[in-house]
Amino acid sequence: MSYKYYIGLTSQVFFCSIPLRLDTYSQCQFGCVYCFAKARGGQRGEKKIQKAEPNALEARLERVQEGKIASAVDEFLMHRTPIQLGAMADPFPPMETQERITQSTIQILNKFDYPFVVSTKGEAIAKPAMLDLLATSNGYIRFSASVASPELRKRIEPGCSSIDDFFSAIEKVAAIGRPTCLRIQPLLPGFETEAIKLLDYARNAGVRHITAEFLKVPIERSSHQRRSLDEFYGGDVASYYVANGASIVGREYVLPPSFKGPVLHELKLQTERRGMRFSYAELEFLHLNSDSTCCNGATRYLRGAKNFTANFLGAVKQFSIGQPFSFDDVDWGWVPERSVETYLNSRSRLHADEESNRWLAHLRQRWNGMRGSFSPQIFDGIERSFPADDDAGAAVYSRQK
């Protein structure tokens, strides 16, 4: 079955610098207990896994290369925003060995020297045929794991290979010269020592970059994911989160910066002591990263790649600590001209009469923090120094961190 929604913009476009996603499969086969895609609606519930059609991607890239732009996604492709390959479903599940949808997709991306970031837990990426493709690609390979202990890994990531095979795959990819990243996601509260163990594995495998993000817990107690997390923790994990100051964001419990910050700052220190770079992947701390990208340093490693900076993260990073700024003070740079409405959920869309639904209209409507959960104040240490009124974009902010 063909995967109709294989390419699009992620819901994180309001703060992500590489919001262009491409999924070669509609569902993941690894069965991780914490799977965020299920909680956020990325796995639509179809029993049969849908597969992308690489030929459709090739035709689209050829059309864009000829200057025939038909959508906001086409504009991002023309801009050469890196593609996140495997944003909602792992592109290297066991079935990839036979289907080779991801392999064909990377062949096409290579044809156009298009920059991409792979997100995977699968060792299939280290097969000889894939290594040959990756060696000449414009790709940055991001591997994900949450624990180093073999016993814990079997419980929390039951469909994944052993930790030794996992890092063996990373080592093979690093050996061909491809930049690699270890994403410690999710970082499990109570198992922080596992993250330190992962750092040692990563250094020995040739990893260049580390990112980390804490576990988010679904609010639906009856969900399979929530029940599995409760079983893993031996109790009601949501109660633990609430006791530590967690709030509900969307459909998940999220720990506060006061809890996450000290752990992540120490992890950054330990990463740098081991000679690797570190980026915060937590939304609240993205503005603290030294790279221009949100959390992975992608453009540091990719040829001709251009970040998307016309969002709240790009705005905040333009100003120094203590410097006040309003909407009109921001240099928004490149913005898509076509509507992004198709890629946003219904609650995020503007009314039909609001500035033709263009991207800057979305940002202006949210600037005061009165429409949806996104505004400059999503970042830790950003304070509003002038009260918002009914005029969109009137609020003035300043960085304290």
Side-chain angles (χ1 to χ4, degrees):
M1 183 182 297
S2 176
Y3 187 17
K4 181 179 179 181
Y5 303 103
Y6 77 100
I7 192 169
L9 299 178
T10 75
S11 60
Q12 299 176 337
V13 64
F14 291 100
F15 55 85
C16 181
S17 56
I18 52 171
L20 187 58
R21 53 151 284 270
L22 192 160
D23 286 289
T24 46
Y25 300 96
S26 62
Q27 297 180 41
C28 184
Q29 291 184 293
F30 289 116
C32 297
V33 166
Y34 49 75
C35 181
F36 68 86
K38 294 177 182 176
R40 300 175 192 174
Q43 310 262 338
R44 298 173 180 267
E46 301 94 342
K47 293 183 179 180
K48 188 172 181 179
I49 296 178
Q50 300 175 42
K51 296 168 287 189
E53 294 186 2
N55 289 341
L57 174 64
E58 183 174 25
R60 186 169 202 156
L61 289 172
E62 287 176 345
R63 175 170 54 77
V64 168
Q65 188 170 259
E66 294 169 357
K68 300 175 182 177
I69 308 300
S71 67
V73 163
D74 289 350
E75 290 184 87
F76 276 90
L77 290 170
M78 176 66 84
H79 187 247
R80 287 183 66 82
T81 303
I83 286 173
Q84 290 199 53
L85 182 54
M88 299 301 290
D90 198 296
F92 289 97
M95 67 187 297
E96 168 64 15
T97 301
Q98 291 185 326
E99 299 291 342
R100 300 182 180 178
I101 301 297
T102 303
Q103 180 175 323
S104 297
T105 297
I106 291 178
Q107 285 177 323
I108 290 165
L109 292 172
N110 283 3
K111 177 181 176 181
F112 295 87
D113 194 39
Y114 200 91
F116 62 93
V117 180
V118 171
S119 295
T120 187
K121 299 175 183 293
E123 59 182 295
I125 193 172
K127 300 288 186 183
M130 275 307 311
L131 291 175
D132 288 343
L133 276 179
L134 292 175
T136 58
S137 74
N138 195 3
Y140 174 40
I141 316 304
R142 185 169 58 182
F143 292 85
S144 297
S146 59
V147 293
S149 163
E151 180 183 349
L152 291 175
R153 185 169 170 84
K154 287 179 181 178
R155 292 173 55 198
I156 198 75
E157 297 164 336
C160 296
S161 61
S162 71
I163 198 68
D164 288 334
D165 288 344
F166 173 77
F167 278 103
S168 175
I170 296 179
E171 189 171 3
K172 290 175 182 176
V173 173
I176 62 170
R178 281 297 87 207
T180 55
C181 170
L182 174 64
R183 181 171 61 170
I184 303 175
Q185 184 188 27
L187 178 56
L188 302 170
F191 296 90
E192 289 85 356
T193 56
E194 290 293 313
I196 301 299
K197 293 177 185 177
L198 287 171
L199 293 184
D200 291 327
Y201 273 107
R203 176 188 56 190
N204 294 336
V207 168
R208 300 189 195 179
H209 211 115
I210 300 290
T211 69
E213 182 178 5
F214 269 91
L215 172 71
K216 296 175 175 62
V217 175
I219 62 174
E220 291 86 357
R221 190 165 190 173
S222 61
S223 69
H224 174 73
Q225 181 192 9
R226 175 72 177 277
R227 293 196 305 270
S228 297
L229 283 170
D230 288 348
E231 181 180 351
F232 177 80
Y233 271 95
D236 183 10
V237 66
S239 295
Y240 171 81
Y241 265 52
V242 171
N244 282 281
S247 58
I248 295 176
V249 179
R251 305 199 65 78
E252 298 167 318
Y253 289 104
V254 179
L255 289 166
S258 58
F259 183 100
K260 296 182 289 189
V263 177
L264 292 171
H265 300 333
E266 177 62 22
L267 193 60
K268 180 178 186 292
L269 178 63
Q270 294 297 330
T271 297
E272 292 171 346
R273 283 178 176 173
R274 288 163 172 79
M276 297 176 289
R277 299 187 64 85
F278 181 89
S279 291
Y280 298 99
E282 290 287 350
L283 170 59
E284 300 96 325
F285 303 129
L286 293 180
H287 62 304
L288 302 181
N289 292 326
S290 58
D291 286 306
S292 57
T293 45
C294 46
C295 66
N296 53 55
T299 52
R300 173 181 293 273
Y301 305 111
L302 299 174
R303 296 184 296 273
K306 296 179 181 177
N307 295 331
F308 179 56
T309 59
N311 54 24
F312 293 128
L313 177 62
V316 166
K317 294 191 78 166
Q318 291 181 31
F319 301 95
S320 57
I321 293 176
Q323 182 180 4
F325 59 93
S326 67
F327 186 91
D328 292 328
D329 293 323
V330 178
D331 179 3
W332 293 105
W334 178 86
V335 295
E337 296 181 358
R338 288 160 180 77
S339 174
V340 299
E341 295 291 292
T342 305
Y343 312 103
L344 303 177
N345 64 49
S346 57
R347 288 178 294 180
S348 296
R349 295 171 185 167
L350 301 180
H351 299 302
D353 59 347
E354 292 178 320
E355 297 187 48
S356 303
N357 299 334
R358 295 300 188 253
W359 177 242
L360 288 182
H362 280 279
L363 294 176
R364 186 180 289 277
Q365 287 293 321
R366 288 165 174 76
W367 185 262
N368 289 356
M370 299 169 66
R371 182 170 186 158
S373 57
F374 297 135
S375 77
Q377 281 193 293
I378 58 178
F379 305 112
D380 187 42
I382 303 300
E383 297 182 358
R384 187 160 54 199
S385 57
F386 184 84
D389 55 26
D390 292 335
D391 295 327
V396 177
Y397 296 94
S398 62
R399 275 186 71 165
Q400 304 304 311
K401 295 182 181 180

